[in-house]
């Protein structure tokens, strides 16, 4: 099920939007103000953010800016009554993927949500890296990421398994010399190259934290 974080301070709009999206099998968490949205984003893994701009404490643009600075690349749609070019520009500059002007037709928003979540089915997103499941290509911040074949094969297995561990047996298949020492060396190289935290899971394999 696709999981969405909705940041909206209007309870009537939020409740009606949640009810509408749940009809189409989306799971929606509701934050009434910016700090609550930040807390929820750190405690949960979401597939999509829906952020209003004018909300209490921390506005939606600042919330998104902070998330992007923390390397959270979750697709984000801004929903706002501010329809001037300057406001829209600020939204996209903060890292928004789309911008919907209030008042909006729920069906239009649903189409935009489907367009963003369809992309999720074709890509696995992990800490700024993504795996195109059709081409088996790895990207970093949407730029093709170049790496050796052994490292790439190991990385693909780790990305595919995230947030669960990839089995040692699968990871070994990428190696020319298949032993624990060679696997550990390649994991260390991968951690250094990508900057990701990768740890051993005893009796299973390795996982990206």
């Amino acid at each position: 099920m696709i999981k969405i974080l909705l940041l909206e301070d209007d309870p009537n709009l939020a409740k009606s939007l949640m009810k509408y999206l749940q009809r189409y099998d989306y799971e929606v968490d509701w934050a009434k103000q910016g700090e609550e949205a930040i807390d929820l984003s750190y405690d949960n893994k979401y597939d999509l953010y829906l952020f209003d701009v004018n909300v209490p404490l921390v506005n939606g643009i600042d919330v998104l800016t902070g998330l992007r600075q923390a390397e959270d690349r979750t697709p984000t749609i801004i929903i706002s009554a501010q329809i001037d070019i300057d406001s829209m520009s600020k939204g996209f500059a903060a890292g928004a993927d789309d911008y919907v002007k209030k008042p909006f037709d729920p069906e239009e928003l649903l189409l935009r949500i489907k367009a963003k979540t369809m992309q999720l089915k074709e890509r696995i997103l992990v800490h700024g890296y993504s795996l195109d499941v059709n081409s088996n290509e790895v990207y970093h911040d949407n730029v093709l990421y170049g790496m050796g074949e052994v490292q790439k094969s190991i990385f693909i297995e780790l990305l595919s398994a995230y947030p669960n561990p990839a089995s040692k047996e699968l990871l070994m298949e990428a190696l020319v010399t298949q032993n624990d020492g060679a696997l550990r060396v390649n994991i260390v190289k991968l951690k250094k190259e990508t900057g990701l935290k990768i740890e051993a899971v005893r009796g299973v394999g390795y996982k990206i934290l």
Side-chain angles (χ1 to χ4, degrees):
M1 180 180 289
I2 298 295
K3 191 170 184 178
I4 295 173
L5 174 59
L6 170 64
L7 172 58
E8 173 59 62
D9 65 335
D10 181 339
N12 292 326
L13 175 58
K15 289 174 183 177
S16 63
L17 193 52
M18 289 173 68
K19 186 176 180 180
Y20 179 79
L21 292 174
Q22 286 164 356
R23 283 169 46 196
Y24 293 91
D25 294 326
Y26 293 99
E27 181 181 349
V28 185
D29 284 348
W30 174 30
K32 304 174 186 65
Q33 43 91 351
E35 287 188 356
E36 186 181 359
I38 293 171
D39 290 341
L40 285 169
S41 72
Y42 288 131
D43 293 337
N44 301 274
K45 179 175 173 57
Y46 293 100
D47 300 297
L48 184 77
Y49 294 143
L50 286 178
F51 285 174
D52 187 12
V53 174
N54 289 328
V55 295
L57 300 182
V58 184
N59 69 54
I61 297 297
D62 288 343
V63 171
L64 179 57
T65 298
L67 291 172
R68 292 296 189 250
Q69 289 174 347
E71 298 188 354
D72 185 333
R73 306 298 174 188
T74 304
T76 304
I77 300 176
I78 295 290
I79 50 175
S80 176
Q82 298 178 344
I83 59 175
D84 58 283
I85 295 298
D86 183 57
S87 296
M88 293 177 65
S89 297
K90 288 179 180 177
F92 285 117
D97 298 274
D98 203 351
Y99 198 106
V100 178
K101 302 173 186 177
K102 290 182 177 179
F104 52 82
D105 186 327
E107 290 187 12
E108 177 191 350
L109 180 62
L110 181 63
L111 287 173
R112 292 173 184 264
I113 290 172
K114 285 182 176 179
K116 295 302 173 188
T117 54
M118 278 297 292
Q119 295 174 8
L120 296 175
K121 295 178 182 178
E122 298 173 357
R123 283 200 179 190
I124 297 169
L125 309 175
V126 182
H127 303 315
Y129 291 90
S130 61
L131 169 64
D132 186 315
V133 298
N134 295 317
S135 66
N136 259 7
E137 293 293 350
V138 176
Y139 295 81
H140 185 226
D141 291 338
N142 294 320
V143 177
L144 188 63
Y145 192 69
M147 56 200 315
E149 286 303 313
V150 171
Q151 294 284 297
K152 181 180 177 181
S153 296
I154 292 173
F155 200 21
I156 286 173
E157 294 298 341
L158 291 168
L159 291 171
S160 299
Y162 182 84
N164 300 310
S167 72
K168 187 169 72 174
E169 290 74 21
L170 278 176
L171 297 173
M172 285 282 193
E173 290 180 6
L175 304 177
V176 177
T177 303
Q178 297 185 351
N179 58 57
D180 289 346
L183 180 56
R184 282 196 297 271
V185 167
N186 277 279
I187 292 293
V188 169
K189 287 182 179 178
L190 191 59
K191 288 167 65 175
K192 185 176 181 180
E193 184 177 339
T194 63
L196 294 174
K197 294 181 179 179
I198 304 171
E199 72 171 16
V201 179
R202 188 171 182 178
V204 181
Y206 288 85
K207 66 180 290 186
I208 298 173
L209 299 181

PDB file of all heavy atoms in Angstrom, residues 1-7 14 17-22 25-31 46 50 113:
ATOM      1  N   MET A   1       0.840  -1.195   0.000  1.00  0.00           N
ATOM      2  CA  MET A   1       0.000   0.000   0.000  1.00  0.00           C
ATOM      3  C   MET A   1       0.879   1.250   0.000  1.00  0.00           C
ATOM      4  O   MET A   1       1.853   1.319   0.730  1.00  0.00           O
ATOM      5  CB  MET A   1      -0.922   0.004   1.226  1.00  0.00           C
ATOM      6  CG  MET A   1      -1.840   1.209   1.303  1.00  0.00           C
ATOM      7  SD  MET A   1      -2.930   1.185   2.760  1.00  0.00           S
ATOM      8  CE  MET A   1      -4.045  -0.135   2.284  1.00  0.00           C
ATOM      9  N   ILE A   2       0.526   2.238  -0.829  1.00  0.00           N
ATOM     10  CA  ILE A   2       1.254   3.493  -0.887  1.00  0.00           C
ATOM     11  C   ILE A   2       0.943   4.316   0.364  1.00  0.00           C
ATOM     12  O   ILE A   2      -0.214   4.509   0.727  1.00  0.00           O
ATOM     13  CB  ILE A   2       0.866   4.303  -2.150  1.00  0.00           C
ATOM     14  CG1 ILE A   2       1.230   3.531  -3.422  1.00  0.00           C
ATOM     15  CG2 ILE A   2       1.537   5.675  -2.136  1.00  0.00           C
ATOM     16  CD1 ILE A   2       2.697   3.307  -3.616  1.00  0.00           C
ATOM     17  N   LYS A   3       2.004   4.811   1.018  1.00  0.00           N
ATOM     18  CA  LYS A   3       1.838   5.568   2.250  1.00  0.00           C
ATOM     19  C   LYS A   3       2.152   7.041   2.015  1.00  0.00           C
ATOM     20  O   LYS A   3       3.225   7.381   1.502  1.00  0.00           O
ATOM     21  CB  LYS A   3       2.746   4.996   3.341  1.00  0.00           C
ATOM     22  CG  LYS A   3       2.464   5.545   4.729  1.00  0.00           C
ATOM     23  CD  LYS A   3       3.223   4.758   5.788  1.00  0.00           C
ATOM     24  CE  LYS A   3       2.877   5.236   7.191  1.00  0.00           C
ATOM     25  NZ  LYS A   3       3.558   4.448   8.233  1.00  0.00           N
ATOM     26  N   ILE A   4       1.213   7.915   2.405  1.00  0.00           N
ATOM     27  CA  ILE A   4       1.306   9.348   2.138  1.00  0.00           C
ATOM     28  C   ILE A   4       1.311  10.124   3.451  1.00  0.00           C
ATOM     29  O   ILE A   4       0.564   9.805   4.374  1.00  0.00           O
ATOM     30  CB  ILE A   4       0.125   9.815   1.269  1.00  0.00           C
ATOM     31  CG1 ILE A   4       0.176   9.159  -0.125  1.00  0.00           C
ATOM     32  CG2 ILE A   4       0.105  11.341   1.123  1.00  0.00           C
ATOM     33  CD1 ILE A   4      -1.041   9.431  -0.982  1.00  0.00           C
ATOM     34  N   LEU A   5       2.141  11.163   3.522  1.00  0.00           N
ATOM     35  CA  LEU A   5       2.102  12.107   4.632  1.00  0.00           C
ATOM     36  C   LEU A   5       1.451  13.395   4.141  1.00  0.00           C
ATOM     37  O   LEU A   5       1.959  14.046   3.223  1.00  0.00           O
ATOM     38  CB  LEU A   5       3.505  12.399   5.158  1.00  0.00           C
ATOM     39  CG  LEU A   5       3.603  13.494   6.239  1.00  0.00           C
ATOM     40  CD1 LEU A   5       2.750  13.142   7.462  1.00  0.00           C
ATOM     41  CD2 LEU A   5       5.054  13.722   6.649  1.00  0.00           C
ATOM     42  N   LEU A   6       0.332  13.750   4.759  1.00  0.00           N
ATOM     43  CA  LEU A   6      -0.410  14.964   4.404  1.00  0.00           C
ATOM     44  C   LEU A   6      -0.152  16.029   5.456  1.00  0.00           C
ATOM     45  O   LEU A   6      -0.421  15.819   6.643  1.00  0.00           O
ATOM     46  CB  LEU A   6      -1.906  14.657   4.320  1.00  0.00           C
ATOM     47  CG  LEU A   6      -2.853  15.860   4.186  1.00  0.00           C
ATOM     48  CD1 LEU A   6      -2.622  16.602   2.874  1.00  0.00           C
ATOM     49  CD2 LEU A   6      -4.313  15.415   4.304  1.00  0.00           C
ATOM     50  N   LEU A   7       0.373  17.180   5.033  1.00  0.00           N
ATOM     51  CA  LEU A   7       0.550  18.345   5.903  1.00  0.00           C
ATOM     52  C   LEU A   7      -0.497  19.376   5.518  1.00  0.00           C
ATOM     53  O   LEU A   7      -0.421  19.982   4.444  1.00  0.00           O
ATOM     54  CB  LEU A   7       1.963  18.916   5.747  1.00  0.00           C
ATOM     55  CG  LEU A   7       2.250  20.251   6.456  1.00  0.00           C
ATOM     56  CD1 LEU A   7       2.006  20.135   7.957  1.00  0.00           C
ATOM     57  CD2 LEU A   7       3.680  20.703   6.174  1.00  0.00           C
ATOM     58  N   ALA A  14      -8.510  18.332   5.194  1.00  0.00           N
ATOM     59  CA  ALA A  14      -7.667  17.175   5.485  1.00  0.00           C
ATOM     60  C   ALA A  14      -8.494  15.902   5.623  1.00  0.00           C
ATOM     61  O   ALA A  14      -8.163  14.864   5.041  1.00  0.00           O
ATOM     62  CB  ALA A  14      -6.851  17.421   6.752  1.00  0.00           C
ATOM     63  N   LEU A  17     -10.006  14.841   2.293  1.00  0.00           N
ATOM     64  CA  LEU A  17      -8.967  14.346   1.389  1.00  0.00           C
ATOM     65  C   LEU A  17      -8.492  12.964   1.827  1.00  0.00           C
ATOM     66  O   LEU A  17      -8.291  12.072   0.987  1.00  0.00           O
ATOM     67  CB  LEU A  17      -7.798  15.329   1.373  1.00  0.00           C
ATOM     68  CG  LEU A  17      -6.749  15.173   0.270  1.00  0.00           C
ATOM     69  CD1 LEU A  17      -7.404  15.124  -1.098  1.00  0.00           C
ATOM     70  CD2 LEU A  17      -5.752  16.317   0.339  1.00  0.00           C
ATOM     71  N   MET A  18      -8.338  12.769   3.120  1.00  0.00           N
ATOM     72  CA  MET A  18      -7.940  11.454   3.634  1.00  0.00           C
ATOM     73  C   MET A  18      -8.991  10.400   3.282  1.00  0.00           C
ATOM     74  O   MET A  18      -8.659   9.299   2.829  1.00  0.00           O
ATOM     75  CB  MET A  18      -7.738  11.515   5.147  1.00  0.00           C
ATOM     76  CG  MET A  18      -6.509  12.283   5.583  1.00  0.00           C
ATOM     77  SD  MET A  18      -6.421  12.491   7.386  1.00  0.00           S
ATOM     78  CE  MET A  18      -6.138  10.800   7.888  1.00  0.00           C
ATOM     79  N   LYS A  19     -10.244  10.733   3.485  1.00  0.00           N
ATOM     80  CA  LYS A  19     -11.328   9.805   3.187  1.00  0.00           C
ATOM     81  C   LYS A  19     -11.351   9.454   1.701  1.00  0.00           C
ATOM     82  O   LYS A  19     -11.530   8.287   1.316  1.00  0.00           O
ATOM     83  CB  LYS A  19     -12.664  10.416   3.613  1.00  0.00           C
ATOM     84  CG  LYS A  19     -13.850   9.466   3.484  1.00  0.00           C
ATOM     85  CD  LYS A  19     -15.118  10.126   4.022  1.00  0.00           C
ATOM     86  CE  LYS A  19     -16.326   9.184   3.903  1.00  0.00           C
ATOM     87  NZ  LYS A  19     -17.561   9.815   4.431  1.00  0.00           N
ATOM     88  N   TYR A  20     -11.130  10.465   0.867  1.00  0.00           N
ATOM     89  CA  TYR A  20     -11.130  10.250  -0.586  1.00  0.00           C
ATOM     90  C   TYR A  20      -9.981   9.340  -1.007  1.00  0.00           C
ATOM     91  O   TYR A  20     -10.173   8.376  -1.765  1.00  0.00           O
ATOM     92  CB  TYR A  20     -11.032  11.600  -1.297  1.00  0.00           C
ATOM     93  CG  TYR A  20     -11.006  11.514  -2.805  1.00  0.00           C
ATOM     94  CD1 TYR A  20     -12.175  11.310  -3.534  1.00  0.00           C
ATOM     95  CD2 TYR A  20      -9.808  11.627  -3.508  1.00  0.00           C
ATOM     96  CE1 TYR A  20     -12.152  11.228  -4.916  1.00  0.00           C
ATOM     97  CE2 TYR A  20      -9.770  11.550  -4.880  1.00  0.00           C
ATOM     98  CZ  TYR A  20     -10.951  11.345  -5.587  1.00  0.00           C
ATOM     99  OH  TYR A  20     -10.910  11.262  -6.955  1.00  0.00           O
ATOM    100  N   LEU A  21      -8.783   9.605  -0.505  1.00  0.00           N
ATOM    101  CA  LEU A  21      -7.608   8.825  -0.901  1.00  0.00           C
ATOM    102  C   LEU A  21      -7.658   7.404  -0.354  1.00  0.00           C
ATOM    103  O   LEU A  21      -7.200   6.463  -1.011  1.00  0.00           O
ATOM    104  CB  LEU A  21      -6.329   9.533  -0.435  1.00  0.00           C
ATOM    105  CG  LEU A  21      -6.005  10.855  -1.133  1.00  0.00           C
ATOM    106  CD1 LEU A  21      -4.801  11.518  -0.495  1.00  0.00           C
ATOM    107  CD2 LEU A  21      -5.768  10.644  -2.621  1.00  0.00           C
ATOM    108  N   GLN A  22      -8.220   7.248   0.829  1.00  0.00           N
ATOM    109  CA  GLN A  22      -8.339   5.906   1.402  1.00  0.00           C
ATOM    110  C   GLN A  22      -9.262   5.020   0.587  1.00  0.00           C
ATOM    111  O   GLN A  22      -9.109   3.799   0.572  1.00  0.00           O
ATOM    112  CB  GLN A  22      -8.812   6.016   2.858  1.00  0.00           C
ATOM    113  CG  GLN A  22      -7.717   6.503   3.802  1.00  0.00           C
ATOM    114  CD  GLN A  22      -8.234   6.982   5.136  1.00  0.00           C
ATOM    115  OE1 GLN A  22      -9.443   7.036   5.371  1.00  0.00           O
ATOM    116  NE2 GLN A  22      -7.326   7.350   6.035  1.00  0.00           N
ATOM    117  N   ASP A  25      -7.220   3.067  -1.699  1.00  0.00           N
ATOM    118  CA  ASP A  25      -6.219   2.214  -1.044  1.00  0.00           C
ATOM    119  C   ASP A  25      -4.899   2.908  -0.754  1.00  0.00           C
ATOM    120  O   ASP A  25      -3.845   2.260  -0.702  1.00  0.00           O
ATOM    121  CB  ASP A  25      -5.960   0.948  -1.881  1.00  0.00           C
ATOM    122  CG  ASP A  25      -7.185   0.052  -1.944  1.00  0.00           C
ATOM    123  OD1 ASP A  25      -7.927   0.004  -0.939  1.00  0.00           O
ATOM    124  OD2 ASP A  25      -7.404  -0.590  -2.986  1.00  0.00           O
ATOM    125  N   TYR A  26      -4.943   4.229  -0.540  1.00  0.00           N
ATOM    126  CA  TYR A  26      -3.760   4.932  -0.054  1.00  0.00           C
ATOM    127  C   TYR A  26      -3.851   5.039   1.464  1.00  0.00           C
ATOM    128  O   TYR A  26      -4.922   5.321   2.014  1.00  0.00           O
ATOM    129  CB  TYR A  26      -3.661   6.340  -0.654  1.00  0.00           C
ATOM    130  CG  TYR A  26      -3.397   6.355  -2.139  1.00  0.00           C
ATOM    131  CD1 TYR A  26      -4.432   6.545  -3.047  1.00  0.00           C
ATOM    132  CD2 TYR A  26      -2.111   6.187  -2.639  1.00  0.00           C
ATOM    133  CE1 TYR A  26      -4.196   6.554  -4.412  1.00  0.00           C
ATOM    134  CE2 TYR A  26      -1.859   6.198  -4.007  1.00  0.00           C
ATOM    135  CZ  TYR A  26      -2.913   6.380  -4.891  1.00  0.00           C
ATOM    136  OH  TYR A  26      -2.673   6.386  -6.237  1.00  0.00           O
ATOM    137  N   GLU A  27      -2.729   4.822   2.138  1.00  0.00           N
ATOM    138  CA  GLU A  27      -2.660   5.024   3.584  1.00  0.00           C
ATOM    139  C   GLU A  27      -2.157   6.436   3.836  1.00  0.00           C
ATOM    140  O   GLU A  27      -1.118   6.838   3.296  1.00  0.00           O
ATOM    141  CB  GLU A  27      -1.703   4.008   4.213  1.00  0.00           C
ATOM    142  CG  GLU A  27      -1.584   4.132   5.722  1.00  0.00           C
ATOM    143  CD  GLU A  27      -0.607   3.143   6.323  1.00  0.00           C
ATOM    144  OE1 GLU A  27      -0.183   2.215   5.585  1.00  0.00           O
ATOM    145  OE2 GLU A  27      -0.253   3.295   7.504  1.00  0.00           O
ATOM    146  N   VAL A  28      -2.895   7.214   4.627  1.00  0.00           N
ATOM    147  CA  VAL A  28      -2.576   8.629   4.810  1.00  0.00           C
ATOM    148  C   VAL A  28      -2.392   8.960   6.290  1.00  0.00           C
ATOM    149  O   VAL A  28      -3.273   8.686   7.108  1.00  0.00           O
ATOM    150  CB  VAL A  28      -3.683   9.533   4.225  1.00  0.00           C
ATOM    151  CG1 VAL A  28      -3.262  11.010   4.323  1.00  0.00           C
ATOM    152  CG2 VAL A  28      -3.990   9.168   2.775  1.00  0.00           C
ATOM    153  N   ASP A  29      -1.230   9.553   6.616  1.00  0.00           N
ATOM    154  CA  ASP A  29      -1.009  10.132   7.940  1.00  0.00           C
ATOM    155  C   ASP A  29      -1.186  11.647   7.829  1.00  0.00           C
ATOM    156  O   ASP A  29      -0.742  12.258   6.844  1.00  0.00           O
ATOM    157  CB  ASP A  29       0.406   9.824   8.441  1.00  0.00           C
ATOM    158  CG  ASP A  29       0.550   8.385   8.912  1.00  0.00           C
ATOM    159  OD1 ASP A  29      -0.483   7.698   9.066  1.00  0.00           O
ATOM    160  OD2 ASP A  29       1.703   7.942   9.112  1.00  0.00           O
ATOM    161  N   TRP A  30      -1.795  12.238   8.855  1.00  0.00           N
ATOM    162  CA  TRP A  30      -2.122  13.667   8.805  1.00  0.00           C
ATOM    163  C   TRP A  30      -1.321  14.443   9.842  1.00  0.00           C
ATOM    164  O   TRP A  30      -1.350  14.116  11.026  1.00  0.00           O
ATOM    165  CB  TRP A  30      -3.624  13.841   9.025  1.00  0.00           C
ATOM    166  CG  TRP A  30      -4.100  15.262   9.149  1.00  0.00           C
ATOM    167  CD1 TRP A  30      -3.553  16.366   8.571  1.00  0.00           C
ATOM    168  CD2 TRP A  30      -5.237  15.721   9.901  1.00  0.00           C
ATOM    169  NE1 TRP A  30      -4.258  17.487   8.901  1.00  0.00           N
ATOM    170  CE2 TRP A  30      -5.307  17.122   9.711  1.00  0.00           C
ATOM    171  CE3 TRP A  30      -6.189  15.081  10.684  1.00  0.00           C
ATOM    172  CZ2 TRP A  30      -6.300  17.897  10.304  1.00  0.00           C
ATOM    173  CZ3 TRP A  30      -7.179  15.849  11.277  1.00  0.00           C
ATOM    174  CH2 TRP A  30      -7.231  17.243  11.083  1.00  0.00           C
ATOM    175  N   ALA A  31      -0.619  15.471   9.381  1.00  0.00           N
ATOM    176  CA  ALA A  31       0.075  16.403  10.269  1.00  0.00           C
ATOM    177  C   ALA A  31      -0.607  17.761  10.145  1.00  0.00           C
ATOM    178  O   ALA A  31      -0.820  18.255   9.034  1.00  0.00           O
ATOM    179  CB  ALA A  31       1.548  16.514   9.890  1.00  0.00           C
ATOM    180  N   TYR A  46       7.660   7.135   4.067  1.00  0.00           N
ATOM    181  CA  TYR A  46       6.538   7.493   3.208  1.00  0.00           C
ATOM    182  C   TYR A  46       6.922   7.376   1.735  1.00  0.00           C
ATOM    183  O   TYR A  46       8.091   7.521   1.364  1.00  0.00           O
ATOM    184  CB  TYR A  46       6.067   8.919   3.503  1.00  0.00           C
ATOM    185  CG  TYR A  46       5.457   9.070   4.882  1.00  0.00           C
ATOM    186  CD1 TYR A  46       6.196   9.602   5.938  1.00  0.00           C
ATOM    187  CD2 TYR A  46       4.158   8.652   5.133  1.00  0.00           C
ATOM    188  CE1 TYR A  46       5.652   9.729   7.211  1.00  0.00           C
ATOM    189  CE2 TYR A  46       3.600   8.768   6.404  1.00  0.00           C
ATOM    190  CZ  TYR A  46       4.354   9.301   7.429  1.00  0.00           C
ATOM    191  OH  TYR A  46       3.805   9.405   8.683  1.00  0.00           O
ATOM    192  N   LEU A  50       2.356  15.209   0.667  1.00  0.00           N
ATOM    193  CA  LEU A  50       1.428  16.244   0.205  1.00  0.00           C
ATOM    194  C   LEU A  50       1.515  17.387   1.211  1.00  0.00           C
ATOM    195  O   LEU A  50       1.045  17.254   2.349  1.00  0.00           O
ATOM    196  CB  LEU A  50      -0.008  15.717   0.144  1.00  0.00           C
ATOM    197  CG  LEU A  50      -0.401  14.761  -0.972  1.00  0.00           C
ATOM    198  CD1 LEU A  50      -1.861  14.325  -0.794  1.00  0.00           C
ATOM    199  CD2 LEU A  50      -0.218  15.416  -2.330  1.00  0.00           C
ATOM    200  N   ILE A 113      -1.036  12.159  -8.082  1.00  0.00           N
ATOM    201  CA  ILE A 113      -0.492  11.191  -7.128  1.00  0.00           C
ATOM    202  C   ILE A 113      -0.167   9.879  -7.832  1.00  0.00           C
ATOM    203  O   ILE A 113       0.897   9.286  -7.620  1.00  0.00           O
ATOM    204  CB  ILE A 113      -1.483  10.956  -5.971  1.00  0.00           C
ATOM    205  CG1 ILE A 113      -1.561  12.197  -5.089  1.00  0.00           C
ATOM    206  CG2 ILE A 113      -1.072   9.737  -5.142  1.00  0.00           C
ATOM    207  CD1 ILE A 113      -2.651  12.132  -4.041  1.00  0.00           C
TER     208      ILE A 113
END
